Amino acid sequence: MWMQDKPLLQEELGRTISQLIHAFQTTEAQHLFLQTFWQTMNREWTGIDRLRLDKFYMLMRLVLKESLTALRMRGWEGRQIEQLLELLTTEILHPDSQAPSGVKSHFIEIFLEELAKVGAAELTADQNLKFIDPFCRIAAQTKDSLVLHNITRGIFETIVEQAPFAIEDLMDEMEEEEEESSSEGDEEEEDVSSKKLFRKPPKGTFCGMDPDVGEERPEDNEDDTGTVLQFDYEAVANRLFEVASQQSTPSLNRKRLYKVIRKLQDLAEGLFPEDDIPEKAYRKLLKGRRERKAKKRLPKSRLQSKTGRGEREAPAADPSSRSERTRQWQGTGADPTAPQEQHGGRGRRGARKRRRRPQAGAKVPGCQEPDTKKKRAQKSKK
């Protein structure tokens, strides 16, 4: 596993290693295999470089899945569940265990996902409460804030977030049972025949083709979460309150768990913590926030250029404003019939007045007269 670089071969090798648990016939041998695996991961975790982390994350996920599959093969016996949870708590979750933070965080994150994949269709609410009981005890006892945060977010808040999907699955199961008990074979045949007659062929198909070829397939839904675990929210809230109300529970843990208990109690009464917001309203709200942020980030030069454009466009549209500006520029004492001076460009040069040069015979006060004749005579002598 350490030397394998190809993703597909990594996955195949991970399945092979994880399925070794089924090679042992007794429960003690299987638990010894799992104990050895988790102890090895805890010991070697700090020596794994970041480029190899993903495949070992995948290996831990596969081993957890196969250990839950072994429980399912034994019929979810209560004694077997308790032994497995005690082993996982001792090797991973317990504060005295040698598990690094990365192993603990990943295990907490994937536990409910893998449990739902293996046993969501078979497990009852009481059995699911047994599976999360170690997390309730560790959340009340731990002094590590990271472990408390991961358990609260990865276990309890995940249960709260998946509550609407769990209720939908339960309602669908009840409807299916009612339909199976009340439906008759003749009515089902008539419904199927009517659907085949009035069904429109999809685009890209021709008449006379096999109906299976032209059958429309439902589109994949991105928000589809699959099967969800069923929980008795009142029982979970009571169990959390039992461990959180003990005197040995730290105040930070108690405060954090009481918030989760309130949410679970609301769910037990039929109140959901978050109201559903329509998609259009949510997009409009996001768009407005982005526009406001963009305006704040605009530099002053762009804002001035935008205002300058507006000022240039305004006089072009209104010719009367030009005459008012020219009058203001000329001043109140200027003669409107007099020719106006041009500003800028070539017209400015033409508007300059030439300076008058003094004439040869004219006397300028305070200046000596140039003696040009004497200077010429001196130059000729030289």
Side-chain angles (χ1 to χ4, degrees):
M1 194 67 179
W2 178 270
M3 299 300 296
Q4 186 55 255
D5 296 331
K6 297 180 181 180
L8 294 177
L9 296 179
Q10 289 172 6
E11 188 173 355
E12 183 181 357
L13 183 58
R15 286 202 188 98
T16 304
I17 296 173
S18 61
Q19 289 175 359
L20 288 175
I21 190 174
H22 303 299
F24 303 100
Q25 302 299 326
T26 62
T27 306
E28 291 77 11
Q30 290 179 349
H31 289 175
L32 182 60
F33 171 78
L34 292 176
Q35 184 180 7
T36 307
F37 171 79
W38 289 111
Q39 287 179 358
T40 305
M41 294 301 300
N42 295 339
R43 185 180 65 249
E44 304 295 336
W45 184 257
T46 54
I48 301 174
D49 57 295
R50 61 182 182 85
L51 298 176
R52 291 184 169 93
L53 279 177
D54 289 338
K55 57 184 177 182
F56 285 101
Y57 278 141
M58 178 189 65
L59 179 61
M60 287 192 289
R61 181 185 289 269
L62 293 173
V63 169
L64 177 60
K65 182 180 178 181
E66 294 301 327
S67 60
L68 295 172
T69 305
L71 281 181
R72 186 185 64 183
M73 294 171 64
R74 295 179 180 272
W76 303 105
E77 295 180 3
R79 181 60 182 166
Q80 302 287 336
I81 294 174
E82 290 177 1
Q83 290 178 356
L84 177 64
L85 293 177
E86 185 179 356
L87 185 150
L88 296 175
T89 304
T90 305
E91 299 298 334
I92 303 172
L93 296 176
H94 200 272
D96 296 335
S97 67
Q98 301 298 323
S101 299
V103 176
K104 289 183 179 180
S105 301
H106 187 63
F107 176 79
I108 295 168
E109 182 183 357
I110 66 175
F111 185 80
L112 283 184
E113 295 179 12
E114 299 306 318
L115 183 61
K117 291 177 184 176
V118 176
E122 302 175 3
L123 291 172
T124 61
D126 294 335
Q127 290 175 328
N128 291 329
L129 181 60
K130 285 184 180 179
F131 276 104
I132 66 170
D133 186 71
F135 297 97
C136 298
R137 289 187 279 105
I138 296 299
Q141 297 173 2
T142 184
K143 295 181 181 180
D144 189 352
S145 58
L146 179 61
V147 174
L148 175 63
H149 173 74
N150 290 334
I151 292 177
T152 307
R153 184 71 190 92
I155 303 296
F156 303 127
E157 292 186 5
T158 303
I159 294 172
V160 174
E161 291 173 359
Q162 292 180 354
F165 304 104
I167 293 172
E168 286 180 4
D169 293 343
L170 185 61
M171 295 296 293
D172 292 340
E173 290 178 2
M174 293 173 64
E175 289 178 359
E176 288 178 359
E177 290 177 358
E178 291 178 358
E179 288 178 358
E180 288 177 359
S181 62
S182 62
S183 61
E184 296 178 359
D186 296 334
E187 293 179 358
E188 289 179 358
E189 291 178 0
E190 291 177 2
D191 293 338
V192 172
S193 60
S194 61
K195 286 180 182 178
K196 287 183 178 180
L197 288 173
F198 294 103
R199 185 177 61 194
K200 293 181 180 180
K203 294 181 180 180
T205 58
F206 299 95
C207 297
M209 288 183 65
D210 189 3
D212 294 335
V213 177
E215 187 177 358
E216 295 181 357
R217 296 180 180 178
E219 296 180 355
D220 295 335
N221 190 6
E222 294 180 356
D223 299 332
D224 187 14
T225 56
T227 54
V228 182
L229 295 170
Q230 300 290 335
F231 286 96
D232 184 358
Y233 303 110
E234 186 176 0
V236 177
N238 294 336
R239 177 55 181 158
L240 273 178
F241 182 76
E242 182 182 351
V243 296
S245 60
Q246 295 178 0
Q247 293 181 356
S248 59
T249 303
S251 59
L252 178 64
N253 302 29
R254 185 183 294 111
K255 185 178 179 180
R256 188 74 183 268
L257 292 176
Y258 277 174
K259 291 181 180 179
V260 179
I261 290 170
R262 292 190 195 99
K263 294 180 181 180
L264 292 169
Q265 289 174 348
D266 291 340
L267 285 175
E269 295 175 0
L271 301 175
F272 292 95
E274 296 179 359
D275 297 332
D276 294 333
I277 302 175
E279 291 185 3
K280 292 183 180 179
Y282 182 68
R283 290 175 183 174
K284 190 175 181 181
L285 181 63
L286 284 180
K287 187 177 180 182
R289 288 178 181 174
R290 288 171 184 170
E291 289 178 355
R292 277 187 241 117
K293 288 182 181 179
K295 286 181 181 179
K296 289 180 181 178
R297 292 175 183 173
L298 275 176
K300 294 181 180 180
S301 59
R302 291 187 180 180
L303 292 173
Q304 292 176 359
S305 64
K306 287 185 178 181
T307 54
R309 288 177 185 174
E311 290 177 357
R312 289 176 186 175
E313 292 174 358
D318 190 5
S320 62
S321 59
R322 284 186 182 177
S323 59
E324 291 178 2
R325 288 186 180 181
T326 50
R327 288 174 187 174
Q328 291 175 2
W329 181 79
Q330 288 176 3
T332 54
D335 186 8
T337 58
Q340 301 176 3
E341 293 184 3
Q342 297 179 359
H343 294 273
R346 297 177 181 176
R348 194 170 184 179
R349 290 184 180 178
R352 289 181 182 176
K353 295 181 180 180
R354 295 180 181 178
R355 296 180 180 179
R356 294 181 180 179
R357 294 180 182 178
Q359 296 179 0
K363 293 182 180 181
V364 180
C367 297
Q368 295 182 359
E369 296 181 2
D371 194 0
T372 55
K373 293 182 180 180
K374 291 181 180 181
K375 288 181 180 180
R376 288 177 183 176
Q378 291 176 0
K379 287 179 181 180
S380 63
K381 289 179 181 180
K382 288 178 182 180

